Amino acid sequence: MAIGKEKEAIKGHSHRVRRDVEEVIYESEFSIPAGFGEIGAVLVENEHHKEIYIQTIDLTGFPNASTLSISCTSWVHSKHYNAQKRVFFTNKSYLPSDTPSGLKRLREMELQNLRGNGEGERKTSDRIYDYDKYNDLGVPDSKLARPVLGGKELPYPRRCRTGRPRTEKDPLSEERSTNVYIPRDEAFSEEKHLTFSGKTLKSVLHALLPQLEISLIDRDLGFPLFKEIDSLFNEGIALPKPKTIGFFRSIIPRLVKAVSDGQNDLLLFETPAMLDRDKFSWFRDEEFSRQTLAGLNPFSIELVKEWPLKSKLDPEIYGPPESLITTELVEKEIKGFMTVNEALDKKKLFLLDYHDLLIPLVNKVREIEGTTLYGSRTLFFLTENGSLRPVAIELTRPPIGDKPQWKQVFVPCWDATGAWLWRLAKAHVCAHDSGYHQLVIHWLRTHCVTEPYIIAANRQMSAMHPIYRLLCPHFRYTMEINALARESLINAGGVIESSFSPGKYSMELSSAAYDQLWRFDMEALPADLIRRGMAVEDPTAKHGLKLTIEDYPFANDGLILWDAINQWVSDYVNHYYPDASLVKCDQELQGWWTEVRTKGHEDKKDEPWWPVLETPEDLIHVLTTIIWVTSGHHAAVNFGQYTYAGYFPNRPTIARTNMPCEDPSEEVVNTFMTKPETILLNCFPSKIQATTVMAVLDVLSTHSPDEEYIGEILEPSWTENPVIMDAFECFKDSLKELERIINQRNADKNLKNRVGAGVVPYELLKPFSKQGVTGMGVPNSISI
């Protein structure tokens, strides 16, 4: 199709000329008449009976001997299933107002096709983007009914509509299926399917886990001794002989080894880096504290801004709101070093606060067999050397039946009984943090909230739009990994429900966090740090922020990455929007942002904090936030999962038993006094829970062979513009500099939160990585 006045398409029939190892080459000859004008798009009709994947279309034979290369990277359906021709635009980007007249109709027609009509069940070959609630997590026609997420009662972001039939018992819920629809171009590449998650994650969930259940018959059986936990890394678990010899070894070779007699396979876990460096680090208070700043969840620690600590929940329902972590207790624990008022003034007190979010779920969770829950607060003191020291843990159970509220404070002790109670309290807090990390910091704040951005972008912004082309690399594979999560991880009876403390109320916890805590304007890294009191604005400081804790590895590295992304986005946006009015007048851009708010995040559409898009600065901040969330934020909380949680005593996902001092039986008291280690092991996950989570985390921590890292790949459309190419090269250089700085910081022995005897260096925000479980690397997108 011509760029100027729209002309009748020139037709040509392609035929196969050769087949290489990785691609098939088709050629076609046709003549373009003089005066046709510059080519702006190509229409493709697939006459095969199966879909085909088109990587590029190269047009040659022009008088100036140049080649017009059109990047497609898309599946094209067979005309026998859908007679609609596919349109591929050239790599040159256009704002809607600049669209050549010959392409305007095609531009709008393609967007209409992508929106669909909101009716019918979607087919695998479809490329239709639409919204729906999370109404497919449960199975209402069985005992696994779950409430619909999305709406006034349980607010939630929207996911991609599939149009599956509704269930018999609940007309609001959708039937589940083994293959969840996503638009065709959102699917994993063939390489990723063959070598990584598309196959491996499903294999772990649908092949390995059933075999584990056969091997570990008793689902409640725990580890009687710590040496049995160690055996997972040096002896392994024998798996029943599979039907296909070497089946497990072929799909997850990192975990499943051959047994010497060749009869069985062996599930043998790799030793996590943390355990390899220091077998006992998980047991120590200093590592417990350090990981709030440089571990798997560095997003929860916050400055204490109000004193005394007090719940905001209704005391008529949940009991007295005052915390038992009193001024006297804190001053005793910090041993007169300073008063609490002085500590507050000097910003020395920090908190992990899982009290008000968890308390409403406690009694419901306790009705589930094999798990328990408390509300918790954990207080830390910032020492002179810049590291945190835990001061106190408060565990609370609200009133239940005729029992009043129960709460107790635990502190580091120098007597045996107190020391073991402290260790058990830490185990409960770690389980709370594990659940909050997985359900809120990881799933909700990266995977879940991003899906509406993707759906809206495809419905409202043309593939020719420069902002669509900027965002597209950061949306790669996210919808498929989210669909896999709905299929096997966050679904009723899935890995999260069966292995994490909130059990079947896990997604309700995620909904409560979305309702109470999530705000788009606070997802930017600087805003998040300021909200938690971990930084204050300071125009004289680097990055414009002064950190409350100077040695905060995640924040220190993250702010460099944030600034690099912000500069790249600024250069890109300012090039395409030299006049501020262009942002406000861009119908596609405004349509995208309006739909993100009113459809994708419909339950929060009336919130006053949504940014408006009126100037390039507004747009730069919105885009930088989205790119940060899909790259840096996700990498920081995902790729260290096996490193820190592969040895589950460090981050147990569930606490199965109450504290021995809460309404104890005589048997529990006797066991605690004679064998406290047994009480701790009984509190930890069962064997099936631990090994299930370990296998899944190993896969989720793995970089695939076809991973695309931030700043690594120059998109074809950017090569059309020298200004954008230069800006991208500067971005790439800034990421190389970040890598150098991280290496330098990890060699600085003064930075005690990232360097020390047996300490895993903080590398999660190193931009690049080789494939496998590396504990580093920032992919462009949420691809696992």
Side-chain angles (χ1 to χ4, degrees):
M1 301 296 293
I3 278 183
K5 184 178 179 182
E6 185 174 353
K7 297 182 176 69
E8 186 177 346
I10 298 169
K11 297 180 180 179
H13 188 274
S14 63
H15 58 279
R16 191 170 78 179
V17 293
R18 73 174 186 275
R19 183 187 188 100
D20 296 335
V21 175
E22 295 184 348
E23 63 182 8
V24 180
I25 309 298
Y26 282 78
E27 285 186 359
S28 176
E29 290 188 11
F30 48 87
S31 298
I32 300 175
F36 182 81
E38 188 179 344
I39 295 172
V42 174
L43 297 175
V44 175
E45 183 177 66
N46 174 16
E47 295 185 344
H48 292 285
H49 284 272
K50 293 183 178 179
E51 64 180 3
I52 59 172
Y53 183 80
I54 301 181
Q55 184 70 34
T56 57
I57 296 174
D58 294 328
L59 302 177
T60 60
F62 295 100
N64 60 4
S66 65
T67 297
L68 176 63
S69 185
I70 300 174
S71 177
C72 303
T73 59
S74 178
W75 292 93
V76 178
H77 49 249
S78 165
K79 75 171 187 178
H80 301 286
Y81 298 101
N82 190 329
Q84 212 170 53
K85 293 183 175 67
R86 276 297 307 281
V87 57
F88 292 106
F89 298 105
T90 61
N91 295 342
K92 190 172 182 179
S93 298
Y94 295 100
L95 295 178
S97 58
D98 297 332
T99 309
S101 60
L103 299 178
K104 285 183 178 178
R105 185 185 65 84
L106 279 180
R107 183 171 185 147
E108 180 53 37
M109 181 188 76
E110 177 70 353
L111 285 173
Q112 288 177 354
N113 291 339
L114 290 167
R115 292 175 195 138
N117 60 11
E119 298 176 1
E121 184 171 359
R122 299 271 62 88
K123 303 187 296 292
T124 305
S125 60
D126 284 345
R127 296 172 57 246
I128 294 175
Y129 295 77
D130 205 353
Y131 303 94
D132 208 342
K133 297 177 180 179
Y134 277 74
N135 59 0
D136 64 340
L137 300 180
V139 187
D141 298 337
S142 72
K143 294 181 180 179
L144 294 174
R146 295 292 181 270
V148 173
L149 300 184
K152 188 176 180 180
E153 295 299 317
L154 292 169
Y156 219 56
R158 300 302 190 254
R159 50 92 172 173
C160 183
R161 178 186 177 277
T162 66
R164 289 173 291 185
R166 299 304 171 105
T167 61
E168 290 183 12
K169 288 189 177 180
D170 180 9
L172 297 177
S173 292
E174 191 174 83
E175 286 184 0
R176 291 175 56 78
S177 57
T178 53
N179 289 306
V180 181
Y181 166 78
I182 57 169
R184 188 63 185 93
D185 288 340
E186 303 298 334
F188 288 153
S189 69
E190 199 69 19
E191 182 176 14
K192 191 159 178 118
H193 264 297
L194 290 173
T195 60
F196 191 48
S197 299
K199 186 175 179 181
T200 307
L201 182 56
K202 284 190 175 183
S203 299
V204 167
L205 296 169
H206 301 301
L208 178 61
L209 298 191
Q211 295 300 316
L212 274 173
E213 291 179 1
I214 294 172
S215 303
L216 306 171
I217 300 170
D218 185 352
R219 293 191 62 84
D220 297 323
L221 182 66
F223 292 88
L225 300 168
F226 272 93
K227 69 179 183 180
E228 286 206 22
I229 300 175
D230 295 340
S231 73
L232 297 173
F233 308 104
N234 51 47
E235 296 177 17
I237 299 171
L239 299 174
K241 184 180 178 181
K243 294 178 181 178
T244 306
I245 297 297
F247 170 67
F248 293 123
R249 277 173 273 143
S250 69
I251 58 174
I252 35 178
R254 186 179 135 87
L255 295 184
V256 179
K257 319 295 182 187
V259 180
S260 56
D261 61 10
Q263 295 301 305
N264 294 323
D265 280 333
L266 190 69
L267 179 64
L268 184 63
F269 290 95
E270 296 280 339
T271 303
M274 182 186 165
L275 183 64
D276 190 46
R277 283 174 173 262
D278 184 349
K279 183 177 180 180
F280 301 106
S281 60
W282 70 276
F283 206 61
R284 295 198 305 268
D285 288 350
E286 58 268 32
E287 182 64 13
F288 171 65
S289 301
R290 190 190 74 83
Q291 286 184 30
T292 66
L293 301 170
L296 196 50
N297 176 19
F299 281 88
S300 286
I301 189 77
E302 59 185 336
L303 178 70
V304 175
K305 300 174 186 175
E306 297 179 2
W307 192 266
L309 302 176
K310 190 174 181 179
S311 171
K312 293 180 173 61
L313 299 174
D314 185 350
E316 293 294 320
I317 300 174
Y318 300 107
E322 294 79 14
S323 171
L324 293 183
I325 302 178
T326 62
T327 298
E328 294 74 22
L329 183 145
V330 173
E331 290 179 350
K332 179 183 177 184
E333 287 304 310
I334 60 177
K335 297 181 172 53
F337 190 73
M338 61 180 67
T339 67
V340 163
N341 284 335
E342 288 173 331
L344 292 169
D345 289 341
K346 294 180 179 180
K347 298 183 177 180
K348 294 285 188 178
L349 294 179
F350 295 83
L351 190 67
L352 276 185
D353 190 354
Y354 296 131
H355 184 278
D356 284 12
L357 193 67
L358 294 181
I359 282 289
L361 292 175
V362 167
N363 290 340
K364 292 198 292 186
V365 168
R366 286 181 170 220
E367 292 176 1
I368 305 171
E369 188 176 347
T371 185
T372 191
L373 194 63
Y374 293 97
S376 68
R377 296 184 180 101
T378 307
L379 188 70
F380 299 88
F381 179 74
L382 182 63
T383 65
E384 287 297 297
N385 70 3
S387 57
L388 290 173
R389 179 166 73 84
V391 173
I393 291 172
E394 180 181 43
L395 300 178
T396 304
R397 181 208 69 205
I400 180 170
D402 58 356
K403 294 180 180 179
Q405 180 195 68
W406 179 91
K407 67 173 71 166
Q408 188 166 331
V409 175
F410 305 89
V411 296
C413 280
W414 302 106
D415 67 282
T417 300
W420 272 104
L421 287 172
W422 170 250
R423 289 171 192 138
L424 285 160
K426 280 200 302 180
H428 281 273
V429 169
C430 287
H432 300 165
D433 193 62
S434 291
Y436 188 80
H437 160 262
Q438 206 64 267
L439 288 160
V440 179
I441 301 298
H442 184 193
W443 163 255
L444 173 67
R445 288 179 60 182
T446 65
H447 288 259
C448 185
V449 301
T450 296
E451 190 153 336
Y453 310 149
I454 303 171
I455 298 171
N458 283 279
R459 286 168 56 86
Q460 296 295 333
M461 284 196 289
S462 167
M464 282 192 288
H465 200 295
I467 301 304
Y468 179 88
R469 283 174 160 163
L470 173 67
L471 287 174
C472 196
H474 303 287
F475 294 159
R476 182 176 183 247
Y477 297 156
T478 301
M479 290 182 74
E480 171 135 356
I481 197 64
N482 286 3
L484 278 171
R486 300 206 320 273
E487 188 181 337
S488 302
L489 296 176
I490 62 171
N491 60 302
V495 172
I496 296 292
E497 284 197 1
S498 61
S499 302
F500 284 72
S501 282
K504 68 179 183 179
Y505 301 104
S506 292
M507 293 305 289
E508 290 185 41
L509 170 64
S510 187
S511 170
Y514 178 69
D515 181 32
Q516 300 170 31
L517 304 173
W518 187 84
R519 300 174 42 153
F520 181 88
D521 63 328
M522 293 295 166
E523 292 305 291
L525 176 59
D528 175 73
L529 293 170
I530 292 168
R531 171 172 63 171
R532 291 188 283 122
M534 301 304 291
V536 293
E537 289 188 74
D538 183 352
T540 65
K542 199 171 185 180
H543 315 296
L545 292 180
K546 177 177 174 56
L547 292 177
T548 311
I549 299 176
E550 291 183 14
D551 182 14
Y552 185 0
F554 159 72
N556 282 306
D557 297 354
L559 286 169
I560 298 176
L561 178 57
W562 169 271
D563 281 356
I565 295 169
N566 188 68
Q567 185 60 56
W568 154 238
V569 173
S570 298
D571 292 341
Y572 192 98
V573 167
N574 287 328
H575 174 73
Y576 283 105
Y577 296 92
D579 186 336
S581 65
L582 290 172
V583 171
K584 202 170 183 179
C585 298
D586 187 334
Q587 304 99 323
E588 287 185 4
L589 183 70
Q590 295 295 335
W592 165 66
W593 190 235
T594 297
E595 198 165 287
V596 165
R597 301 192 321 271
T598 62
K599 291 190 175 182
H601 288 275
E602 182 180 344
D603 300 329
K604 287 182 173 279
K605 66 179 185 297
D606 298 322
E607 296 287 356
W609 42 253
W610 282 105
V612 294
L613 291 187
E614 293 185 346
T615 67
E617 289 72 27
D618 297 333
L619 178 57
I620 288 164
H621 190 70
V622 165
L623 296 175
T624 302
T625 299
I626 291 174
I627 292 171
W628 157 256
V629 166
T630 59
S631 58
H633 179 150
H634 181 259
V637 301
N638 183 76
F639 293 103
Q641 289 190 90
Y642 195 74
T643 300
Y644 287 104
Y647 184 67
F648 68 85
N650 181 58
R651 287 186 67 80
T653 58
I654 191 169
R656 296 193 295 156
T657 57
N658 294 338
M659 291 291 292
C661 49
E662 183 204 340
D663 303 328
S665 66
E666 185 177 341
E667 181 185 0
V668 168
V669 170
N670 288 338
T671 304
F672 176 64
M673 296 305 292
T674 58
K675 195 78 173 176
E677 179 183 318
T678 299
I679 296 293
L680 180 60
L681 286 165
N682 289 342
C683 186
F684 281 159
S686 67
K687 285 186 177 182
I688 187 69
Q689 288 169 331
T691 51
T692 294
V693 171
M694 288 165 68
V696 171
L697 293 187
D698 184 88
V699 174
L700 298 184
S701 302
T702 301
H703 290 290
S704 70
D706 74 335
E707 193 65 89
E708 294 180 0
Y709 297 96
I710 192 164
E712 182 182 43
I713 295 174
L714 185 66
E715 294 297 312
S717 63
W718 303 343
T719 64
E720 298 283 316
N721 192 313
V723 174
I724 301 302
M725 283 185 66
D726 289 345
F728 184 77
E729 286 303 314
C730 291
F731 179 44
K732 202 169 187 174
D733 289 343
S734 66
L735 296 174
K736 291 177 182 176
E737 176 64 8
L738 170 58
E739 187 129 358
R740 185 193 68 78
I741 290 171
I742 290 175
N743 287 335
Q744 186 180 53
R745 286 173 172 171
N746 285 335
D748 186 348
K749 294 179 181 177
N750 294 316
L751 301 177
K752 300 187 186 303
N753 292 325
R754 66 191 304 153
V755 181
V759 170
V760 176
Y762 192 76
E763 298 181 312
L764 288 171
L765 291 176
K766 267 191 172 183
F768 313 111
S769 173
K770 62 181 186 292
Q771 70 183 68
V773 178
T774 63
M776 64 181 75
V778 181
N780 265 328
S781 63
I782 303 164
S783 56
I784 185 58

